Amino acid sequence: MNNNHPSKVSFREKFQYYFENTMSAGPMNLIKWLALFSLFSVMILGVVIVIFGISSSPESNDGLGFVEGAWQSLMATLDSGTMGGDEGWAFRMVRFAATLIGIFLISILIGAISSAIDEKLDELKQGRSKVQEKNHTLILGWSEKIFSIISELVLANENQKRSCIVVLSEKNKTEAEEEIRSKVSDFKRTKIVVRHGSPLDATDIAIVNPNEAKSILVLSPDQDNADIHVIKTVLGLTRSKKRKEGFLNIIAEIKNENNMEAADLVGNNEALFIRSDDIISRITAQTCLQSGLSVVYSELLRFEGDEIYFKEEPYMVGKTYKELLFQYEDSTVIGVITSKEEALINPPMHYVIQSGDQVIAISEDDDTIILNGKAGYDASAKNVGKAMTETSKLTHSLVLGWNDNGAKIIQELDNYVSKGSGLKIVADLSDDDIANIETMHGQISNMELTYMKGEISDKKTLESLNVGNYSNIIVLSYKYLEVQESDAKTLICLLHLRNICEQFDKNFNIVTEMLDLKNRELGVVAKADDFIVGDNLISLLLSQLSENRTLKKVYDELFKSEGSEIYLKPASRYIQTGLEVDFYNIVANAAALNETAIGYRYTAMSDDMDQNFGVKINPNKTSKVTFSADDFVIVLSED
């Protein structure tokens, strides 16, 4: 007969189960058991002393009482040295037993305390304690961009007494801190707090106090399906049950434009997304046609030096944009943010400033935008340069190397060139690459597209291309290679190109994509005209938007092919070369052409990194300048 009733659990088994559970709960429970065992042992020894009438001295016939016996046993348990003067073998045996128990208990206690301390230190190393900071910048995720972002935010916070950057990533806390310290040399007044956890886990995100953060940066990880991780992280922030009622200032990076719709849905009008691949492609295409443009963009995006700010000027209401250009001596006006929050970059010169409009200006700081210019400056054109007609944009471009951004760059470049232009691709192309290139024939209308397989670091291959016949060359990185290996291949290609240039006395504009900003210095030796370091530019942009999200309206206007953009145009278009004038004169002559002058470039300094490659943005308008025929004025213009 089967007995289906469960067997009865004995008291011993219940006690053992309870004991094991409490012991596994942590060091504090072990200490509690040691305390109970110590109390029990001392009481037993006290009872033994009372039962056998043991005294502390042979001369004494009176035995110790329970309390005194327990106390003496306790002292022997805690300190074995107290039994050195004991007399009487019965009393010695009891005290010896108490000492043995004490040695056993103290050893376990020391081990438990040591274990608890080690456990706490491990917890601290893992970065699991809750962040108490407020008004901090929170970075979620980890990628190579994080070092540039932290460096820029440190500069942005330089004039603040207390500032903090909190980083949450799945990277080990100690390793993350060591990497940050090794790549960011000076934190100035900014405190860096690192925590370990997943940005996809709501419990981990709660550790870094997102509700009290002034801005939240969500980094795109260096892995496949990176956009999915970004979208899930943003979703966890905007739809969290523990989120604050107010506005969350979230800045995030999306790589694939097909994911933008989903991103906007989860963003809940709080998350600002930038399409990194799209921005890099546009900058590369624009820079391909204008040497020095990448330096201009880098200058505008960095916190070091002059930046873009907004300021409402009630005094200027009713005046025209052209009059506004001369109101600031050491700040440069580039447009207006209307009362409807529309960004107008280089608006018509007759545009009238309305109530609620904000001036968009390049300045050293937000408090240096001061109406200290020549309000009555005679803006009529004088000392005008040679009348120039715009040259045709018929170009022949060569793309060396290939990656996922290549197709987007070509599509952008097609927007800027005249019909009949040509472009040739030479790279170590896979079958998938060739298939993608073939599909582009129906996506571009102004360029004739050809391609061939070839090794870009091989000089014979480059010589066979007759590179002197091309006006523009774009060197793209092989992103499937390790960063340093890819940049090394790019640098070898550059050296060969410059050698061919000198050998055949040819001149062409070279735009180079680099993966590591540090390799740019080596690239300068190879005399490339422009460097596009994608991760660095996106890092600068993310940092800027984390401080002022309205800037996205400005950058959207600057980066697109329609409307006004940044151009480097010959200085002779605006002034007689060799003539010393102040920059007010340049601003006036540019305004006469419906353009906004924001700086200049001395071509003679184009290889000098210490002189910012000859680029000067926002010069003081009273400063004297003298241009040669090879120099350029940097303007905002529609063409």
Side-chain angles (χ1 to χ4, degrees):
M1 181 177 178
N2 292 331
N3 185 3
N4 295 325
H5 296 288
S7 59
K8 187 177 180 180
V9 180
S10 66
F11 173 79
R12 179 176 175 276
E13 290 175 325
K14 288 183 179 179
F15 179 78
Q16 182 179 355
Y17 178 73
Y18 172 75
F19 178 76
E20 289 175 353
N21 283 338
T22 54
M23 288 292 288
S24 63
M28 288 306 300
N29 286 282
L30 175 60
I31 293 173
K32 291 176 183 177
W33 277 109
L34 290 176
L36 288 173
F37 186 75
S38 299
L39 179 63
F40 178 76
S41 301
V42 167
M43 292 178 66
I44 291 296
L45 292 175
V47 170
V48 169
I49 288 175
V50 172
I51 292 176
F52 292 97
I54 299 173
S55 64
S56 60
S57 173
E59 289 82 10
S60 174
N61 295 323
D62 297 328
L64 297 174
F66 173 76
V67 175
E68 183 63 26
W71 175 258
Q72 292 292 338
S73 300
L74 177 62
M75 292 300 99
T77 301
L78 297 177
D79 185 3
S80 58
T82 61
M83 63 177 291
D86 292 346
E87 298 180 1
W89 283 105
F91 185 63
R92 286 174 178 172
M93 291 302 295
V94 173
R95 296 266 286 176
F96 180 68
T99 299
L100 289 179
I101 293 171
I103 293 173
F104 173 73
L105 293 177
I106 294 300
S107 298
I108 296 177
L109 180 62
I110 291 173
I113 293 174
S114 176
S115 176
I117 292 173
D118 289 343
E119 186 178 304
K120 189 63 179 177
L121 288 175
D122 288 340
E123 181 182 339
L124 292 174
K125 288 180 181 179
Q126 291 174 4
R128 300 296 299 169
S129 58
K130 186 174 176 61
V131 171
Q132 302 298 323
E133 303 293 337
K134 295 182 179 180
N135 201 35
H136 55 288
T137 300
L138 173 59
I139 301 175
L140 299 178
W142 187 274
S143 74
E144 286 298 314
K145 299 182 186 71
I146 197 168
F147 309 111
S148 297
I149 290 174
I150 291 176
S151 297
E152 287 301 310
L153 292 176
V154 165
L155 290 173
N157 296 331
E158 192 172 6
N159 59 351
Q160 298 181 21
K161 292 183 178 179
R162 293 186 60 187
S163 59
C164 179
I165 299 171
V166 179
V167 178
L168 174 71
S169 73
E170 296 185 63
K171 197 174 186 68
N172 178 274
K173 177 179 182 292
T174 303
E175 292 179 6
E177 289 175 333
E178 288 177 354
E179 277 199 54
I180 292 172
R181 280 195 295 267
S182 67
K183 295 186 179 181
V184 183
S185 57
D186 186 4
F187 298 126
K188 301 185 185 298
R189 297 183 177 184
T190 301
K191 179 168 67 172
I192 309 296
V193 178
V194 178
R195 291 291 180 265
H196 172 76
S198 171
L200 301 177
D201 190 320
T203 303
D204 291 347
I205 290 180
I207 293 174
V208 290
N209 197 13
N211 289 333
E212 299 290 344
K214 69 175 181 179
S215 60
I216 303 173
L217 290 171
V218 182
L219 300 186
S220 179
D222 298 323
Q223 62 186 62
D224 295 334
N225 299 320
D227 287 353
I228 302 301
H229 287 260
V230 172
I231 291 171
K232 288 181 67 177
T233 300
V234 173
L235 179 63
L237 290 166
T238 58
R239 306 302 166 93
S240 172
K241 294 180 180 179
K242 297 181 179 179
R243 62 154 295 167
K244 66 179 181 181
E245 294 183 3
F247 181 81
L248 288 173
N249 182 23
I250 304 171
I251 313 296
E253 173 191 1
I254 291 291
K255 293 182 177 179
N256 192 330
E257 63 180 328
N258 295 328
N259 295 321
M260 278 301 299
E261 185 175 352
D264 288 333
L265 286 174
V266 304
N268 198 32
N269 296 322
E270 296 174 283
L272 199 63
F273 295 97
I274 65 167
R275 287 167 47 193
S276 55
D277 289 352
D278 183 66
I279 290 172
I280 297 304
S281 300
R282 291 183 180 186
I283 291 176
T284 304
Q286 292 177 12
T287 304
C288 171
L289 302 173
Q290 300 186 84
S291 175
L293 187 57
S294 68
V295 183
V296 177
Y297 277 128
S298 296
E299 184 75 7
L300 290 176
L301 289 171
R302 283 177 2 211
F303 282 109
E304 185 178 13
D306 297 340
E307 307 155 45
I308 298 176
Y309 295 99
F310 307 102
K311 186 179 182 182
E312 191 170 344
E313 295 284 13
Y315 172 76
M316 295 304 298
V317 173
K319 298 184 185 298
T320 65
Y321 175 72
K322 187 173 185 179
E323 292 177 281
L324 187 64
L325 294 176
F326 303 95
Q327 299 293 324
Y328 305 95
E329 183 174 301
D330 41 22
S331 298
T332 299
V333 175
I334 63 172
V336 173
I337 294 285
T338 70
S339 56
K340 296 180 180 179
E341 297 188 354
E342 179 185 3
L344 303 179
I345 304 300
N346 183 41
M349 292 295 158
H350 57 76
Y351 174 84
V352 178
I353 309 300
Q354 307 293 318
S355 177
D357 287 356
Q358 294 183 73
V359 175
I360 308 173
I362 303 172
S363 190
E364 183 179 353
D365 209 340
D366 55 356
D367 57 3
T368 59
I369 306 176
I370 304 170
L371 294 169
N372 59 353
K374 295 183 179 179
Y377 185 84
D378 181 9
S380 59
K382 54 184 179 180
N383 298 322
V384 183
K386 298 177 182 179
M388 300 178 64
T389 57
E390 293 295 326
T391 58
S392 171
K393 293 182 181 178
L394 189 67
T395 63
H396 294 281
S397 303
L398 175 65
V399 175
L400 299 173
W402 192 253
N403 58 46
D404 292 340
N405 284 349
K408 186 66 178 176
I409 291 171
I410 292 173
Q411 290 172 9
E412 288 294 332
L413 186 59
D414 191 60
N415 295 327
Y416 292 95
V417 300
S418 299
K419 196 171 186 63
S421 297
L423 184 141
K424 185 170 187 174
I425 302 168
V426 180
D428 183 13
L429 300 169
S430 66
D431 291 341
D432 289 340
D433 292 333
I434 292 175
N436 291 332
I437 292 172
E438 287 288 353
T439 61
M440 292 182 59
H441 286 289
Q443 299 172 355
I444 58 177
S445 57
N446 294 325
M447 294 188 297
E448 180 183 349
L449 179 62
T450 59
Y451 62 88
M452 64 171 277
K453 285 188 176 182
E455 176 54 60
I456 66 171
S457 58
D458 179 31
K459 187 176 181 181
K460 290 183 179 179
T461 299
L462 297 176
E463 287 177 335
S464 68
L465 296 174
N466 294 319
V467 293
N469 295 331
Y470 296 94
S471 50
N472 308 295
I473 298 178
I474 301 175
V475 183
L476 297 181
S477 297
Y478 287 108
K479 293 186 178 180
Y480 66 85
L481 297 176
E482 192 272 331
V483 170
Q484 298 305 323
E485 182 182 353
S486 176
D487 280 356
K489 186 183 286 287
T490 301
L491 288 169
I492 292 172
C493 178
L494 283 177
L495 290 168
H496 287 325
L497 287 173
R498 281 308 173 197
N499 181 260
I500 294 171
C501 174
E502 294 171 0
Q503 183 178 350
F504 295 98
D505 194 23
K506 297 287 186 179
N507 189 29
F508 34 76
N509 180 37
I510 303 177
V511 178
T512 308
E513 181 183 34
M514 303 286 280
L515 300 181
D516 188 343
L517 183 64
K518 294 179 181 178
N519 290 327
R520 178 174 178 169
E521 295 184 20
L522 298 175
V524 171
V525 176
K527 296 183 179 180
D529 296 281
D530 284 89
F531 294 91
I532 306 296
V533 187
D535 280 355
N536 184 61
L537 285 174
I538 296 303
S539 300
L540 297 178
L541 183 55
L542 287 169
S543 303
Q544 288 279 350
L545 295 179
S546 72
E547 295 293 309
N548 189 342
R549 59 191 288 135
T550 308
L551 282 168
K552 187 172 187 298
K553 298 179 185 293
V554 176
Y555 295 131
D556 284 346
E557 291 296 316
L558 288 176
F559 293 148
K560 69 182 183 182
S561 56
E562 302 84 15
S564 291
E565 303 161 54
I566 298 175
Y567 289 93
L568 286 83
K569 298 192 176 185
S572 56
R573 171 181 168 87
Y574 307 95
I575 204 73
Q576 298 175 36
T577 56
L579 182 67
E580 184 181 68
V581 295
D582 61 29
F583 202 71
Y584 275 113
N585 201 162
I586 305 296
V587 172
N589 292 345
L593 298 171
N594 297 312
E595 299 172 353
T596 300
I598 65 172
Y600 53 85
R601 188 189 197 194
Y602 286 134
T603 301
M605 299 179 181
S606 58
D607 295 330
D608 192 339
M609 182 179 291
D610 294 334
Q611 295 295 327
N612 199 30
F613 306 98
V615 171
K616 175 63 177 176
I617 299 295
N618 184 35
N620 187 294
K621 293 183 180 63
T622 60
S623 61
K624 300 296 183 179
V625 290
T626 304
F627 295 121
S628 70
D630 296 326
D631 295 332
F632 295 88
V633 173
I634 304 169
V635 298
L636 290 165
S637 175
E638 291 192 2
D639 53 33

